[in-house]
Amino acid sequence: MSYGSAHLMQAILDGLRYVLWVMVSGFAVVGAAFYGGAGVAAVWQKAGPPARRCNDEVAREAAEGIAEIEAFLAEQEPHIEPPEPPPAPRRKLPPASGEAV
């Protein structure tokens, strides 16, 4: 093996070692973010506001508003669309050469 090819082989192995370390550290960071993020989300959810109750004031007002809208729409006459206009008359083309008129 010549001197140049030995250096080339050493450079290739150093490059592969670098890429391997970058990949391993990337996997470690992604794993830590995945599991750490889930842990932080669980703690944040427990420390956050209580779960929304069904009988709160906003839900009651929304239900009343929807009932009012439905009552209003029930009183209205159904919207009748006007009939479609008749199709436009077709224009007669002049006879092609050789055809009888």
Side-chain angles (χ1 to χ4, degrees):
M1 185 181 280
S2 70
Y3 182 73
S5 63
H7 278 289
L8 180 61
M9 187 64 91
Q10 189 65 35
I12 290 173
L13 289 174
D14 286 343
L16 287 174
R17 191 177 301 127
Y18 174 77
V19 168
L20 181 64
W21 275 111
V22 167
M23 287 178 58
V24 167
S25 61
F27 288 144
V29 168
V30 168
F34 181 76
Y35 287 109
V40 168
V43 171
W44 189 11
Q45 191 173 15
K46 287 179 184 176
R52 186 168 178 221
R53 295 180 298 274
C54 294
N55 296 330
D56 66 351
E57 187 175 338
V58 175
R60 184 182 52 77
E61 288 181 15
E64 289 174 2
I66 291 172
E68 288 177 13
I69 292 170
E70 288 175 346
F72 173 77
L73 292 175
E75 294 173 0
Q76 302 298 316
E77 292 183 18
H79 178 69
I80 299 173
E81 293 185 21
E84 291 186 22
R90 292 186 154 233
R91 184 174 59 118
K92 291 190 176 185
L93 298 174
S97 63
E99 284 186 18
V101 178

